[in-house]
Amino acid sequence: MSDIECDAPPSTRLDPTASGSSSGPRSTNGSTPERPLAHSETTSEVTERMARKAPTTTSGRTERPEDDVVCVDLFCGAGGLTHGLISAGVKVRAGVDFDEACKFPYEANHPGITFHGGDVAELDAEKVREWFGGATVRVLAGCAPCQPFSTYALRYQKDEPVEEDKRWRLLDEFGRLVEELMPEIVAMENVPTVTKHAVFKRFKSTLESLGYKVWVDVIDCAEYGLPQRRNRTVLLASLHGDIKLREPVASEARTVEDVIKEMPVLRHGGTDKSDRLHAASRLSDLNYKRITVSRPGGTWRDWPVELRADCHKKKSGKTYPSVYGRMTWDEPAPTLTTQFYGFGNGRFGHPTQRRGLSLREGAMLQGFPKDYKFIPEDAEIQFKALGRMIGNAVPVDLGRVIGESIIEHVVQHRDAFTKNVKNVDRPSSSAKHRRGAE
């Protein structure tokens, strides 16, 4: 056996008719629309798309509202949502995030779009209004940090004042900006468990009281072309009628093999000469032995007893088979965490090579194109920081689907958007009502 390859059984390709879900794609009319296979645009393709100009009238307004859909991306991170929205035809004018480390990837991959560092809680609505300019269709997108809403927070922080986490108020601040700006469309995504929390219910109630038609559902991003199982809550809201995420299409499904199979062979602890983000963390001697005897889709239960961790030898540890696992070629990857580069942190072992995922492979499984820049050329590679940036990103494919759904909605309600007629009057909503205060 070579130092790179292990004896992995041959895999079969994913059934091209499968949608990534046992229930198949959802459809309202029983038919399945044809769509091309999902892919991530390179940064040069995105730049070209951003440079295109929609047809305009003599007054400078676009002839069709779907050509003038403009978004401000709150909590933009490294730019996953922005990248996806642009690929769908949405024009993004600005990104906002507290993490200054996201400034470089956001601006480097989206020329002409400015990153604004700072706390959304201190963001002035008038400043956001300036960014929107005279856009026909304004989209305010916000994907607030998901950590306080996660299953981990619910499970392990029961004795702590989780609801007092300062990050909780960011969804309230998102609601504040919606109320003050009244954008035509609102979009957000978060972890599935966000819907259990009062702050989310308050946010949804605020939108409805303002006259928005609100759609919320938990979707598996793998059904929409992301080569990764990733369940997310998606909310779409519009002042111009019913809106929803478009239906998935079977041909969109992608696997680990579709995305990273052609990446250069890499040793653990090694870095590819042509792409320094294609770097794998070094394995300990023990973990190297473990991954050597691991098979794609298998678990640590396949190992000889002497290689098993002490915690797995206990009865309580036998219910966690997903750690120290290899991915399989013919399926989407498991949900990536911020520590996806560590073999012992989940089923993040390469399907055949004796190493964990590289940083670049993790980014590609999040939908980022292969040439996406995350740090300056002279910056040091820090696995923890880059893992957090990549793992916390909104998947690019999800951003694309949200953008496509928004464009389809605008086309469907073109007359209303053109005339700027809201579906109901805009009632006021006090800050006290929004925050649930007495």
Side-chain angles (χ1 to χ4, degrees), residues 16 61-62 70 96 141 158 163 166 184 207 222 247-248 278 345 363 374 400 421:
R61 302 285 294 183
T62 57
V70 172
V96 182
K158 291 180 179 178
E163 293 276 357
K166 291 183 179 180
E184 284 69 30
L207 294 178
E247 302 296 334
H278 185 37
N345 297 327
F374 287 94
R400 169 182 54 81
V421 177

Side-chain angles (χ1 to χ4, degrees), residues 8 43 54 60 63 65 70 89 109 144 146 180 212 230 241 245 262 266 299 325-326 334-335 340 379 390 396 409 434:
T43 52
E63 295 177 341
V70 172
N109 295 285
C146 63
E180 295 177 8
Y212 287 90
R230 197 175 185 92
L245 202 68
E262 302 305 317
L266 193 66
T299 73
R326 285 184 183 268
T335 302
F340 64 83
I390 294 168
V396 174
H409 171 74
R434 183 176 62 249

Side-chain angles (χ1 to χ4, degrees), residues 175-222:
R176 169 185 65 83
L177 290 171
V178 170
E179 182 180 355
E180 295 177 8
L181 292 164
M182 293 300 293
E184 284 69 30
I185 294 174
V186 177
M188 71 157 285
E189 71 88 49
N190 214 291
V191 294
T193 50
V194 69
T195 57
K196 297 181 179 180
H197 298 283
V199 67
F200 175 82
K201 296 174 183 177
R202 194 160 60 240
F203 177 73
K204 181 173 179 288
S205 177
T206 295
L207 294 178
E208 292 171 338
S209 70
L210 291 170
Y212 287 90
K213 294 290 187 179
V214 182
W215 176 91
V216 181
D217 201 2
V218 176
I219 60 105
D220 181 358
C221 296

Side-chain angles (χ1 to χ4, degrees), residues 4 25 34 56 71 77 89 99 115 118 120 135 148 155 209-210 228 246 261 283 307 310 320-321 333 363 379 429 436:
I4 298 296
E34 290 297 326
T56 58
C71 177
D99 188 355
F115 174 93
V120 169
R155 181 181 301 169
S209 70
L210 291 170
Q228 176 194 162
R246 71 161 176 81
K261 181 68 178 291
L283 297 174
L307 293 182
D310 290 339
Y320 299 96
S429 176

Side-chain angles (χ1 to χ4, degrees), residues 353-431:
Q353 298 173 31
R354 299 179 188 178
R355 60 175 177 83
L357 285 174
S358 73
L359 292 169
R360 178 64 72 192
E361 289 167 337
M364 293 169 70
L365 292 173
Q366 277 279 64
F368 288 100
K370 189 178 178 180
D371 65 343
Y372 203 86
K373 300 179 180 68
F374 287 94
I375 54 174
E377 290 297 325
D378 58 351
E380 179 184 359
I381 296 291
Q382 297 182 345
F383 278 84
K384 186 175 181 179
L386 286 166
R388 183 173 61 251
M389 186 183 295
I390 294 168
N392 282 336
V394 176
V396 174
D397 292 285
L398 179 55
R400 169 182 54 81
V401 173
I402 289 174
E404 290 170 350
S405 302
I406 290 172
I407 296 295
E408 289 181 8
H409 171 74
V410 174
V411 171
Q412 182 181 1
H413 299 274
R414 181 179 292 157
D415 289 344
F417 280 99
T418 301
K419 298 174 183 178
N420 200 29
V421 177
K422 312 310 178 191
N423 67 317
V424 295
D425 292 334
R426 297 176 175 178
S428 62
S429 176
S430 69

